[in-house]
């Protein structure tokens, strides 16, 4: 019986996305340089030529318990796009790997992009066009590709809403659109979930788009089909605080409508444990080595809040909905049968 203890990698590794290919596990995430807009400075310090700069750290594991850094994934696109790179995810389709991500200037003007590679470790080359027109959508983050049972791909992501119909809150929230190809959206985006609870508040009296808002945030979508229903996991609240956690909405159709009723008092899947785990969130889901056990992969803060690190815990499906057997901070067993 193998064991692991969170965090499973000691370096900075936020927004972790894990996938398995040919029996090997890979993880891609937001590193310190990407989060802080320092990719150029760090590359320059390492004397890396501008044409060879890569962003997004990649980890690899052969046993799901031990994870090692193996390089950076994405060839640095046009610097004019920005120097903050967030929340990468990888999809595999017809022999090609697709890396979806956002790039922008600090927390402004983020656009969704996609890059391709023939191998899981890259390097990934940006295709040269945004997935969503930045003129009509000036802030879009956290792209999550999802393949339905019929082989059709969809892209879930987060963008900003300023309207407040039916009591929902202004802020960042979730939408979904169909992928016509792996690099082109249909342009038929639908709202997945909007914030409507106090625990999802990012910041009161936030100056956004020239006005003051009580700003709420839903981000980091991750979709799993279970029992004939679609579950859109997401992280809500402010990512820098202990209030941040993972909840979900459920729908009968991949395009919705989704409902996250029942979460009014806080996130139901994953939340902080005082004095042990802070601000767990932005999850992905992957099967463990036994091919049956599902794991929630997420990040959590160190105790002194200086970096976010990758963690793993078992996802359990109950009659009331999904819950995580975590967050954990003690040794956990991995079933390999």
């Amino acid at each position: 019986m193998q064991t692991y203890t969170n965090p499973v990698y000691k370096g900075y590794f936020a927004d972790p996305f894990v996938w398995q290919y040919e029996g090997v596990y890979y993880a891609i995430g937001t590193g310190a340089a990407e989060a802080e807009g320092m990719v150029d400075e760090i590359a320059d310090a390492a004397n890396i030529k501008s044409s060879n700069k890569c962003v997004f750290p990649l980890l690899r594991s052969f046993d799901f318990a031990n994870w090692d850094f193996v390089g950076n994934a994405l060839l640095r696109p046009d610097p004019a796009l920005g120097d903050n790179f967030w929340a990468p995810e990888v999809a595999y389709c017809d022999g090609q790997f697709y890396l979806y991500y956002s790039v922008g200037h600090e927390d402004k003007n983020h656009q969704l992009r996609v890059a391709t590679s023939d191998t899981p470790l890259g390097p990934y080359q940006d295709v040269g066009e945004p997935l969503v027109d930045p003129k009509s959508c000036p802030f879009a983050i956290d792209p999550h590709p999802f393949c339905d049972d019929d082989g059709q791909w969809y892209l879930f992501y987060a963008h900003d809403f300023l309207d407040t119909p039916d009591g929902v809150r202004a802020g960042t929230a979730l939408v979904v659109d169909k992928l016509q190809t792996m690099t082109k959206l249909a342009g038929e985006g639908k709202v997945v979930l909007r914030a409507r609870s106090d625990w999802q508040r990012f910041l009161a009296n936030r100056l956004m788009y020239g006005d003051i808002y009580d700003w709420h945030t839903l981000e980091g979508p991750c979709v799993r089909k279970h029992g004939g229903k679609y579950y859109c996991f997401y992280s809500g609240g402010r990512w820098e605080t202990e209030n941040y956690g993972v909840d979900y909405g459920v729908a009968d159709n991949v395009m919705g409508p989704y409902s996250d009723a029942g979460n009014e008092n806080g996130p139901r899947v994953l939340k902080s444990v005082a004095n042990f785990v802070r601000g767990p969130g932005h999850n992905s889901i992957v099967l463990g080595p036994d091919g049956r056990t599902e794991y929630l992969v997420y990040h959590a803060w160190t105790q002194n809040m200086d970096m976010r690190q990758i963690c793993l815990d078992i996802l359990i499906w109950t009659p009331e909905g999904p819950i995580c057997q975590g967050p954990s901070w003690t040794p956990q067993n991995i079933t390999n049968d």
Side-chain angles (χ1 to χ4, degrees):
M1 181 76 71
Q2 279 195 303
T3 64
Y4 70 89
T5 303
N6 285 323
V8 294
Y9 175 69
K10 299 307 180 187
Y12 192 114
F13 204 88
D15 313 325
F17 178 79
V18 172
W19 78 101
Q20 191 178 25
Y21 178 69
E22 294 186 343
V24 178
Y25 287 97
Y26 299 90
I28 190 169
T30 305
E34 291 79 11
E36 297 166 12
M38 301 282 288
V39 292
D40 291 328
E41 290 86 344
I42 289 176
D44 290 343
N47 199 28
I48 298 173
K49 296 179 181 178
S50 59
S51 59
N52 296 326
K53 290 177 182 175
C54 288
V55 298
F56 292 130
L58 278 163
L59 309 180
R60 183 173 59 191
S61 177
F62 298 101
D63 60 6
F64 200 58
N66 300 286
W67 295 81
D68 296 301
F69 174 75
V70 287
N72 288 336
L74 172 70
L75 291 169
R76 174 78 155 95
D78 183 356
L81 295 173
D83 50 14
N84 287 83
F85 294 81
W86 294 350
E89 295 204 10
V90 172
Y92 178 70
C93 180
D94 297 331
Q96 192 87 352
F97 294 89
Y98 297 87
L99 193 167
Y100 298 85
Y101 68 99
S102 81
V103 57
H105 302 269
E106 296 181 345
D107 63 352
K108 303 289 189 297
N109 302 116
H110 269 257
Q111 60 176 265
L112 300 183
R113 312 280 299 189
V114 60
T116 61
S117 173
D118 295 328
T119 69
L121 292 177
Y124 291 81
Q125 177 77 52
D126 188 272
V127 301
E129 295 286 340
L131 283 161
V132 180
D133 185 356
K135 293 178 182 177
S136 60
C137 183
F139 183 81
I141 61 171
D142 297 355
H144 168 69
F146 170 76
C147 186
D148 207 351
D149 295 337
D150 61 1
Q152 175 63 54
W153 285 87
Y154 299 83
L155 193 73
F156 290 74
Y157 61 96
H159 76 72
D160 292 345
F161 293 86
L162 304 181
D163 62 327
T164 55
D166 303 321
V168 299
R169 318 287 177 90
T172 307
L174 309 178
V175 296
V176 59
D177 197 354
K178 182 183 291 188
L179 281 162
Q180 286 184 341
T181 69
M182 295 302 284
T183 61
K184 183 177 176 57
L185 288 170
E188 303 167 359
K190 290 190 175 183
V191 174
V192 173
L193 291 167
R194 293 283 305 273
R196 54 185 185 82
S197 298
D198 290 346
W199 70 269
Q200 298 162 337
R201 180 177 289 114
F202 180 87
L203 184 66
N205 301 316
R206 188 184 190 194
L207 178 61
M208 295 291 289
Y209 303 98
D211 209 341
I212 300 295
Y213 295 92
D214 185 16
W215 197 261
H216 291 62
T217 293
L218 308 184
E219 60 187 10
C222 172
V223 178
R224 167 79 168 87
K225 191 174 184 181
H226 180 84
K229 294 183 181 294
Y230 298 86
Y231 291 81
C232 180
F233 294 76
Y234 67 87
S235 295
R238 187 178 181 115
W239 61 280
E240 300 155 305
T241 71
E242 293 186 350
N243 293 332
Y244 196 64
V246 176
D247 197 69
Y248 64 92
V250 61
D252 294 322
N253 186 287
V254 65
M255 295 289 284
Y258 286 80
S259 171
D260 61 353
N263 71 355
E264 291 76 14
N265 295 320
R268 295 168 290 179
V269 179
L270 193 65
K271 58 186 176 182
S272 294
V273 178
N275 302 319
F276 291 101
V277 180
R278 297 184 179 212
H282 203 116
N283 74 283
S284 57
I285 297 171
V286 68
L287 287 176
D290 64 359
R292 298 187 308 274
T293 305
E294 292 179 72
Y295 281 83
L296 205 74
V297 184
Y298 59 95
H299 69 236
W301 285 96
T302 52
Q303 282 300 309
N304 60 1
M305 300 289 284
D306 67 343
M307 66 174 168
R308 294 170 288 170
Q309 296 175 294
I310 180 175
C311 302
L312 318 167
D313 278 304
I314 290 175
L315 178 66
I316 299 172
W317 295 91
T318 76
E320 292 75 35
I323 59 173
C324 182
Q325 193 171 297
S328 72
W329 57 91
T330 59
Q332 304 293 308
N333 292 328
I334 297 176
T335 303
N336 293 298
D337 297 336

